[in-house]
Amino acid sequence: MKIRIKFRKFGVMRFIGHLDLMRYFQKAMRRAGIDIAYSEGFSPHQIMSFASPLGVGMASDGEYLDIEVHSSQSSRQSLAALNQAMVEGIEVIEYKRLPEGAKNAMSQVAAASYTVYFKQKEQNPFSLSVLSEALQGFYQDQAEILVTKQTKKSEKLMDLKPLIYQLQVVCVNDDAQNPGFYMKLSSGSAENIKPHLVLEAFFAYLSRSDAFPKKLYVVDPMDLQIHRQEVYAQGADGEFLPLGEVGEDIL
Amino acid sequence: MALQENHLALSDRILMRVEKPARYLGNEVNMVKKDPSQVELRAAMCFPDVYEIGMSHLGMQILYDLFNRRPDVYCERVFSPWPDLHAILKEQQLPLFTLETQSPVRAMDFLIITIQYEMCYTNILQVLDLSQIPLHASERSGWETPIVIGGGPCTYNPEPLADFFDLFYIGEGETQYDALFDLYRDCRRNGWSRADFLRAAAKLPGLYVPALYDVTYHQDGTIQSFSPKEEGIPAKIKKELVRELDQTSYPTHPLVPFIKVTQDRVVLEIQRGCIRGCRFCQAGMIYRPTRERSVSTLKEWAREMLESSGHEEISLSSLSSSDYSGLAELVSFLLKECRGKGINISLPSLRIDAFSLDVMRKVQDVKKSSLTFAPEAGSQRLRDVINKGLTEEAILKGAADAFAGGWQKVKLYFMLGLPTETEEDRREIPRLAEKIARCYYEIPKEQRNGKCQITISTSFFVPKPFTPFQWAQMYAPGEYLARAKDVNDEVKQQLNKKSLKYNWHEADVTVLEGVFARGDRRVARALERAYEKGCIFDAWSEFFDNETWMEAFAETGVSIDFYNTRSRALDELLPWDFIDCGVTKEFLRREWEQAKAGVVTPNCRAQCSGCGARQFEGGVCVENPN
C-alpha cells in the first residue's frame, strides 16, 4: 500500500539539504516503526520518493514524500509515531493512503506556491501600497515577462508570465507595515520555475522603470525568506489540488 | 505565516556561505536538551577535527552520554570549524560556540578535549584561539575561562601539550569524572580559587596538572628530573581503568547526525584491550588488561541502539574482534536480528579464517568487498621482531579459502621503518603479495572471474610511548621514501605485477608524528609557531603544509633529530615516565630485547608474560591466571 506523507520544514532544519533530509527520513521510518517496504537485492533500500526537493535555506509548510508499506496503523497513530521520531524543525502533518495505481508524488507535481518576505521588518523597503503598485506593473500590466534562463548547456530566453499562475501581495503576520509576496508557480518536470527567478525578474523590472527609487530593487536575496506553502497536482478539470488531497486518511 | 527565527550562533548569511552548514547546527536526533540555568556545571566536549570525524568517535559519545546522566551537568559538543568558517569567525571576531545551546565555549566551566592523534594538535590551538581562551594555561586565571582538560590516547605522553592544558585525564573516562565534577562544584560553592581547584584535582587518581611539575634537563638535552613542585602532589600518575565493562554506562541513544559522517552506524564496543601484544602497538599496551563485555549485555544494547537511532548498519568495535570469546554467538544474534530489516552488519578487525569468511559471506556482497590482512611486515623474521603472530601459511590459507569463496580483492597493510628492518625484509612485501596472487591463478580459469586485485599499502612506523619500541630510532624523510622505493622496485619484478597495486604514504607527516609522539615540553614552541603561521587540519593532506612546519621548527630552534633520529639509552628518563600505565618499564625493556633477538612472546590467553597489568585485577588477567 502506498502512503503519502506531508510535512513542514522550518527553523534550523532549513539548512539541511535534500539528500540529508532523505537519509533523515529513512532513519525516522525505522525509529517510528513504520512497516516500510524494501527493494530487493543485496543492499535493500526503503521504497520512498520525495515530491520536489526544497532548496537549502527555504522553509516549507507543504512538503511531500511517498512510501510503500506492508501494513499500516491508522493515520492518527502513524502521525503520532512519526512525530515522536522527529527533531525540532520537521513536523509531519498528513499520513494518507493513496488510491491503487496513483502516480508517485514527483510525477504529479504541477505547481507550487510560495510566500517571500523580509526576514527582518526593518529591512523591508516597501510599503503595502508601493509593493501592490509595483506588482501590478510587473505582472498584470506587462504582456510578457522575458528572462534568460541558464540551462546546463546554454542560455535561453523565456516568457515567465504564463508560468506564474498567481502573484500578489501578502502581509507577514497580517502586519500591513511588512508586505511580502505570494506566488503560485509552474513546478514539476515540464516547466519548473523557482521563486528566485521571479524575484530576479521583478527587481530587474523595478530597476528599469523610472518610477521606483533605488532602495526598492537593491535588495540582498539573503534578506529574504522563501517559504513554500503548498505543492499541487493538476486535477481532471485542470484545477490545482494540494498533493495530499489525492489520498485519504486511514481510520 | 510564521517568521523563521534564527537562534543560532551563526547568521543565515554565514550559514548559506559555508560548506555543509549542518556541521554547526546541532539539533540532531538524541541530542541532549537541558536548561543551562538549571545546572551547576556546563561542559563543552571537543573533538578537535571536523564534525564528520568527531561525530564518528565512540569515546566522545560515551562521555557525552555519561556526563549528561548527571542532572547537575550539561555537556555540549564543539568541533573544529572547517577552514571556511574559521576565516569568517576570525574576521568577524565571533567566538566559537557549542552545538547544543549555541553558547560561547568560553562561557563553559569545562572544555574537555579528546586527543586522538598527533596531527590534530594545531586544531587544539585553533579551538582555544577561536573560543577566545588564552592558549597558555599560565595565562588563565580566575573563573572567566573554562578549565581546559585533555584526555585520550595521546595523553599517555601529554608533555608536548602541557603548556596548553590545565589538566589531563590519564586513562578511561568512566571512573573519575564524577569525582572531578563534584570537586569543581564544591570549589565553586565554597569560593575557592582556580589554583586551589587545580591543586585539589591533581590529587585525584588519574589526573595530571602539568603546571604543578618541574622539569630539568641535562646538558645534552635529555631530561634530568621530573618532579612535583609541592608536597602532596603525586610523583606518579596511574592510569584509570574500568575493571568490569558490563558495569559502565553506554550511549544506547546515540546522536544521529544529519550529514553523512565517517562512522554512520551503531557502534557496539565488545571489548577493550588486546591480548596480542604487537610490539609497535600502543593501544595493545595502554588498554591492558583485555576486558570483554558479556554477550547478553551487548545483545540488549544492540537492539536498543538500532531502535533509538534508526541506523541501517551496526558495527562491532574492538582492537581484535576475532579474540572476543562470544563472537560466534553475538554474530548469529545480529544476523537474526537484522535479517529482513535492511540493516547491514560490519565486522572490522576480523582475522581471516573459515569462521570469518563464512560470516562475511552472509553480511556482504562478496563480489564488491575486499579482504584485509595486516601482516605489517613482509618477512617472517620481521614479523617475529614485531610480535605479529600472523604466519605466511595462515595468510596464504586464508587467501586461498577466500578466492575459492568468490572474493577477488585483497588489501594488505604493512609498515616500513620498523626496528631491525633490512632491504630484504622490504622486498619480501611484494613477494608475499605475489604468492597471494598465485593462489588466485591456481584456481582453474573457468572458475575464476577475471583478474584478482592485490593492493599493498605501507605506512611509516612511528614509535609510541609505552610500547617496547619506545626507544627505537626514526629516520629522515628521504630515507623513508628510499624504503618505499625498494618495495616499488620489487613490485615491478613480480610475475603478476599487473594484479598488484602499491600505495605509500608521504613521509613528512610521519616525521611530525614522531616529534609529537615522543616529544617533551620544549616542542610546544614549534607547535604554537606553526599554528601562528597558519597550520591547521594537518591530518588533511589538502591543508598539510610541511614547508611552514619546517620554518616553525627552525625559527623556534627545536631539533627534529633530537626527538626522532637520536638513539635513546635504556636508562634515559623519558618524558612520559611519570605515568604508570600498568605495563612496567621493565617489561617493555624485556620485550625490546626479545624483539631485537627475534623472539616472539605468547598472547595473554596463551601465557601471562608478567607485563604488570595484573595489578588491575581485571579481564584476561583474572579469567586465565596461568
Side-chain angles (χ1 to χ4, degrees), chain B residues 33-42 74 76 101 103:
Chain B
K33 292 180 190 168
K34 292 187 185 186
D35 178 351
S37 68
Q38 298 301 307
V39 299
E40 260 190 284
L41 193 155
R42 295 182 72 184
Y74 190 11
E76 310 186 38
T101 62
S103 313

Side-chain angles (χ1 to χ4, degrees), chain B residues 55-68:
Chain B
M55 282 301 290
S56 302
H57 182 243
L58 177 63
M60 185 159 173
Q61 296 242 13
I62 289 176
L63 294 181
Y64 177 79
D65 170 76
L66 176 73
F67 298 162
N68 279 316

